[in-house]
Amino acid sequence: MTGQSKKVERGEGEYKMAEVKSLKQDKLRGIFLFENTDHTYLNTLRRIITNRVPVMAIDEVKFMENGSAMYDEQIALRLGLVSLTTDLESYFVRDKCKCKGEGCARCTLDLTLNKAGPCTVYASDLKSKDPAVKPMFPNTPITKLLEGQTLKFEAKAILGTGKVHAKFVPGLMFYTSVPKFKVKDAKEAKKLVEESNKVLESDGKKLALSDYSKTDFALSLVEDHPDAVEVEMSSTDYVVTIESWGQLSVKELMSRAIEVLDEELDELEAEIKDLK
Amino acid sequence: MIQRQEQRGRNRTGEEKMLVPIRCFSCGKPIAHLWEELHARMAKGEDRQKVMDSLGLDRYCCRAQFLGHIDMIEDIAKFKKN
Ligand SMILES: [Zn+2]
Ligand SMILES: [Zn+2]
């Protein structure tokens, strides 16, 4: 996962390869250190992650029976927001599918639900025709039914992008630039390190952050000791957090985003060539 | 405070109180599946702050969804006209 477009040759001009280090990996969250890059590239990646990477979500609901206290529209909205595990290999975006937007098995997934009260209807009650696409968080409550109330519907899930609706947003990315500290007064700096509760580390000459997730805390501490150190925010190194909402893994999300960026750059290149 | 909110029928963000929102209004994180666990653990005497931390509700936008919400669907459902 490097930050270059595939057509740029290594070592050409001033170009430097971006380096990515993984700092922490959870199930649905990854924290990375990006070096030799800039905020323009990272912001492009961020916008592509929220707007351009397609994921599955319920888009159409046909109610046969709804006895619950919620209106059909309310339930449909809640169903749309349920995140479905997405298999990007076996589904196509509707507009690019062979059926030309009519809906077929390659672009549309049918889900059904049939429940009678008294009970809470959970996302796990949704019956999906494809075992690979199911609710990521099965304990999500959709609605509650009392004695004698029933809920019965058929739903269609499609691939879509965050540009169209927030339910298709696959995750969130945010980043902060890495602070570099220059010691101005050794005595004051020592005090600062002692106060920082091990967030700042010092080897006598240099001061560094031990935990990048506590950058804000360290900066506010430095503000209280203006004579101790000078802070410069790096313009090439960034700590990047990527969170997935469950449809795709962090790795898939990132590589898909880079693929989308490559495609769009190719498209731009072709358009420019046509210009006279 | 809770009493007054119930009389108004709306929560602090002005939403009609039904069931906990599926996703956080601000950041989009799916949160509804955490609601029942939060309350089950709080009923056992665990501290709300600690449970929220352990559930991964890091940002205050997501935490606010839970702090300002009361489930009213069971009371509202009694008055449903069929
Ligand atoms: Zn199709
Ligand atoms: Zn949030």
Side-chain angles (χ1 to χ4, degrees):
Chain A
M1 279 183 249
T2 50
Q4 92 273 43
S5 152
K6 54 194 167 189
K7 274 161 197 138
V8 177
E9 293 297 329
R10 211 179 160 182
E12 213 174 72
E14 295 270 313
Y15 181 77
K16 248 185 178 177
M17 185 108 106
E19 275 174 44
V20 186
K21 271 183 221 150
S22 166
L23 296 177
K24 202 177 164 193
Q25 297 292 323
D26 295 338
K27 204 174 155 208
L28 291 175
R29 189 177 60 169
I31 304 174
F32 304 91
L33 178 65
F34 275 63
E35 286 171 318
N36 291 332
T37 182
D38 56 30
H39 65 85
T40 324
Y41 178 70
L42 290 174
N43 194 40
T44 311
L45 210 56
R46 183 185 71 79
R47 294 187 78 116
I48 286 175
I49 283 180
T50 49
N51 293 335
R52 296 295 174 100
V53 177
V55 290
M56 286 291 232
I58 290 175
D59 193 52
E60 256 179 73
V61 190
K62 199 169 151 194
F63 286 93
M64 264 78 89
E65 226 169 301
N66 176 15
S68 83
M70 281 184 182
Y71 297 120
D72 293 356
E73 292 88 339
Q74 258 178 311
I75 293 179
L77 171 69
R78 289 178 74 84
L79 287 169
L81 293 172
V82 169
S83 53
L84 302 172
T85 53
T86 301
D87 175 10
L88 284 175
E89 299 304 318
S90 44
Y91 289 92
F92 292 86
V93 178
R94 241 185 200 183
D95 304 340
K96 289 178 190 164
C97 183
K98 277 181 189 167
C99 68
K100 287 172 188 156
E102 275 175 33
C104 66
R106 290 150 61 86
C107 62
T108 315
L109 170 73
D110 292 323
L111 298 108
T112 54
L113 188 142
N114 190 357
K115 268 225 132 173
C119 66
T120 303
V121 182
Y122 291 102
S124 57
D125 296 323
L126 279 166
K127 288 202 176 60
S128 162
K129 277 202 176 154
D130 181 354
V133 182
K134 54 182 194 310
M136 176 64 194
F137 306 108
N139 291 332
T140 307
I142 307 285
T143 186
K144 276 184 186 169
L145 299 172
L146 298 185
E147 183 73 50
Q149 298 180 339
T150 51
L151 181 65
K152 194 177 168 188
F153 62 77
E154 280 170 11
K156 280 183 172 31
I158 58 163
L159 276 179
T161 53
K163 201 169 71 171
V164 177
H165 193 287
K167 67 187 172 187
F168 294 119
V169 173
L172 182 72
M173 166 172 164
F174 49 92
Y175 53 87
T176 167
S177 119
V178 174
K180 305 258 148 102
F181 302 102
K182 248 190 218 160
V183 179
K184 279 198 287 188
D185 183 336
K187 231 183 189 178
E188 285 280 314
K190 208 180 161 194
K191 251 194 227 166
L192 185 67
V193 172
E194 276 164 16
E195 257 181 60
S196 75
N197 204 6
K198 288 182 185 160
V199 170
L200 287 168
E201 283 174 340
S202 158
D203 62 349
K205 283 178 197 163
K206 270 186 186 167
L207 217 67
L209 266 175
S210 67
D211 183 353
Y212 285 118
S213 66
K214 290 183 177 138
T215 308
D216 282 349
F217 171 70
L219 289 179
S220 69
L221 210 70
V222 169
E223 237 171 58
D224 295 341
H225 298 261
D227 303 327
V229 287
E230 207 173 290
V231 190
E232 198 194 333
M233 301 306 281
S234 169
S235 60
T236 55
D237 303 348
Y238 295 86
V239 180
V240 178
T241 309
I242 298 179
E243 267 185 60
S244 160
W245 296 157
Q247 300 97 329
L248 304 168
S249 68
V250 174
K251 201 179 151 191
E252 244 180 321
L253 189 54
M254 224 168 152
S255 50
R256 272 282 158 170
I258 293 168
E259 263 172 47
V260 173
L261 177 60
D262 276 348
E263 276 167 29
E264 299 211 341
L265 286 173
D266 287 346
E267 206 177 296
L268 180 69
E269 194 184 13
E271 295 274 330
I272 287 172
K273 268 183 188 159
D274 288 346
L275 285 178
K276 277 273 159 69
Chain B
M1 187 66 184
I2 287 170
Q3 188 62 41
R4 244 188 303 140
Q5 280 182 356
E6 281 180 4
Q7 282 164 0
R8 278 212 313 267
R10 270 159 206 278
N11 68 15
R12 273 174 237 171
T13 50
E15 292 295 308
E16 244 183 281
K17 290 178 301 184
M18 274 281 198
L19 208 49
V20 64
I22 303 267
R23 296 201 188 196
C24 169
F25 295 161
S26 300
C27 70
K29 183 185 169 82
I31 52 166
H33 58 290
L34 304 171
W35 173 260
E36 284 178 4
E37 193 183 338
L38 171 79
H39 285 270
R41 283 170 67 178
M42 271 166 61
K44 277 189 204 154
E46 274 188 76
D47 181 41
R48 187 198 291 264
Q49 185 188 353
K50 282 183 186 146
V51 185
M52 280 187 164
D53 286 341
S54 78
L55 290 176
L57 295 165
D58 299 332
R59 289 178 286 275
Y60 49 73
C61 55
C62 310
R63 294 168 91 98
Q65 295 295 333
F66 282 1
L67 293 172
H69 180 79
I70 305 155
D71 262 5
M72 293 286 287
I73 188 160
E74 276 172 67
D75 298 305
I76 296 167
K78 286 177 201 158
F79 303 99
K80 163 93 181 179
K81 282 182 215 149
N82 278 312

